[in-house]
Amino acid sequence: MPTLYSYARSSAAWRVRIALAWKAVAVHTVPVHLLHGGGEQHSPPYRAINPQGLVPCLLDDGVAIAQSVAICEYLEERYPQPALLPRGHLERAQVRSLVHAIACDIHPLNNLRVLQYLKATLGRSPQEVDDWYRHWIHVGFASLEAEFTRSGSQQYCVGGAVSMADVFLVPQVFNARRLKIDLTDYPRIVAIDAALSKLPAFADTAPSKQPDFVE
Ligand SMILES: N[C@@H](CCC(=O)N[C@@H](CS)C(=O)NCC(=O)O)C(=O)O
């Protein structure tokens, strides 16, 4: 059974929890507290497992895989059914484009270590850091909303089925809500999130359902 190094509130770890649940892959979960003692992700024992010092990390057959995109692609290849990538090449490319928009262009700008650097090293105020967070969510969500408007999507990100893009969207919307970001301008994102959040693979893996979740 693979081991997932996770943190309840980590949106990147939630992506992997959804993919595992979607494919009904049993997993042993090890919580890594990102704040306790300066962050367990920086501890030597965890760095020995994942030198990148972030969650998630999946350990399978003794091999550690970091990066949620790489892990989800691995799961898709290792457990092809039920699929998280459509069959058509163009649809697959559209899914990956949305995955990268979230994983590469939105999420990294709002990651914990970036926010900590803005506060502790650059001396930015909590208000300025919140403004930074909100700004990059709005930039990213505006482009996603435009994509969904163009494609007509309002239940799934791409086509008529759950895909990896959905797996990445829902945790990002959770992050936006945590920061109380006004989502009024993104009705399609809100509709897709609402539809997906009812599905067990999404609902059962939510941060609040994790054993390491604290209010
Ligand atoms: N690109 C990475 C991002 C992983 C990541 O940033 N994880 C966050 C939690 S969502 C983390 O571990 N942050 C710890 C830190 O910033 O020190 C992935 O997709 O797995």
Side-chain angles (χ1 to χ4, degrees), residues 16-206:
V16 175
R17 297 197 301 260
I18 297 169
L20 286 162
W22 185 254
K23 291 174 178 295
V25 177
V27 68
H28 170 60
T29 301
V30 175
V32 177
H33 202 295
L34 298 185
L35 298 171
H36 275 171
E40 291 173 0
Q41 72 276 28
H42 305 302
S43 70
Y46 185 66
R47 290 270 172 164
I49 296 161
N50 178 11
Q52 298 185 26
L54 299 166
V55 295
C57 180
L58 189 81
L59 194 62
D60 201 7
D61 278 339
V63 177
I65 312 163
Q67 294 292 337
S68 59
V69 179
I71 298 169
C72 289
E73 293 273 0
Y74 165 72
L75 293 173
E76 183 70 2
E77 289 170 7
R78 177 81 175 73
Y79 308 98
Q81 296 300 327
L84 282 171
L85 285 172
R87 291 171 73 94
H89 292 106
L90 281 173
E91 278 204 329
R92 289 165 90 92
Q94 287 175 315
V95 167
R96 290 188 166 115
S97 166
L98 294 171
V99 164
H100 289 203
I102 295 167
C104 306
D105 293 346
I106 301 176
H107 177 268
L109 289 162
N110 293 336
N111 193 15
L112 177 64
R113 61 186 179 181
V114 171
L115 305 181
Q116 287 175 335
Y117 186 81
L118 287 170
K119 272 183 216 160
T121 307
L122 300 184
R124 297 298 170 177
S125 69
Q127 183 59 53
E128 285 175 312
V129 175
D130 278 4
D131 288 348
W132 164 280
Y133 199 118
R134 290 196 173 89
H135 172 76
W136 292 114
I137 290 280
H138 281 303
V139 169
F141 277 23
S143 64
L144 293 179
E145 185 70 18
E147 297 251 18
F148 297 146
T149 303
R150 188 173 60 176
S151 62
S153 305
Q154 48 195 352
Q155 187 173 2
Y156 306 108
C157 288
V158 176
V162 169
S163 73
M164 219 178 273
D166 300 305
V167 167
F168 279 63
L169 181 73
V170 168
Q172 196 59 54
V173 173
F174 168 82
N175 281 352
R177 291 214 167 96
R178 260 187 80 199
L179 261 279
K180 301 189 170 30
I181 292 172
D182 181 3
L183 300 179
T184 310
D185 288 344
Y186 316 116
R188 285 179 189 268
I189 291 178
V190 170
I192 294 168
D193 174 71
L196 294 167
S197 296
K198 295 192 186 95
L199 304 178
F202 292 78
D204 298 347
T205 55

